Amino acid sequence: MTSLETLEKAGPIVRFLAELRTVGGLSGVDVANFTGVSKATVSRWASGAMKPQPATQLFLSDLHYIVGRLEDYYTPEEIRAWLYARHPQLEGERAIDVVAQGQSERVLAVIDRLDADVYL
């Protein structure tokens, strides 16, 4: 069985966390900080030993989708920096904070501008 097949069998949260690390350059500490839990809790999620609360699952799902969209434009290190940076298109807010507030559509609108080649 390939590692991708293993990840798919483990469930979406395990896969999301693995891809946030490899594609988005985000560490377990980053995810712990975003979600307000310990790094040990994130490790349990990543191993499939424990599942996050539904609101956290939604956050991780949105973040995974956003990172996947950014993959077309940036390296993992650049994606991590993009998420942490303040953006004029988000009224000076950091993209990761906007996602954590449940306003992923605002971040996706900025990415849509990248798709349309009108990013400022």
Side-chain angles (χ1 to χ4, degrees):
M1 182 178 301
T2 68
S3 60
L4 179 60
E5 290 171 334
T6 302
L7 281 176
E8 287 175 356
K9 281 190 164 222
I13 297 302
V14 172
R15 185 172 46 88
F16 290 169
L17 290 169
E19 290 176 8
L20 288 173
R21 183 176 25 81
T22 59
V23 176
L26 298 170
S27 69
V29 172
D30 290 320
V31 173
N33 289 338
F34 301 155
T35 57
V37 300
S38 71
K39 185 180 180 300
T41 297
V42 174
S43 293
R44 287 190 284 276
W45 295 343
S47 72
M50 197 171 128
K51 290 186 180 184
Q53 295 295 320
T56 303
Q57 289 181 32
L58 180 60
F59 168 78
L60 292 172
S61 174
D62 285 355
L63 185 58
H64 175 261
Y65 181 71
I66 287 166
V67 164
R69 294 276 310 273
L70 291 169
E71 182 183 18
D72 293 338
Y73 302 99
Y74 303 116
T75 66
E77 296 79 18
E78 291 169 332
I79 291 172
R80 183 180 185 278
W82 193 94
L83 290 168
Y84 275 101
R86 295 193 177 276
H87 294 275
Q89 301 87 355
L90 296 171
E91 292 79 41
E93 293 181 79
R94 298 180 322 151
I96 193 62
D97 294 334
V98 174
V99 176
Q101 295 164 9
Q103 299 177 18
S104 298
E105 61 281 345
R106 290 179 55 209
V107 175
L108 291 169
V110 173
I111 297 170
D112 288 342
R113 289 186 213 124
L114 280 172
D115 290 341
D117 292 328
V118 294
Y119 187 79
L120 303 174

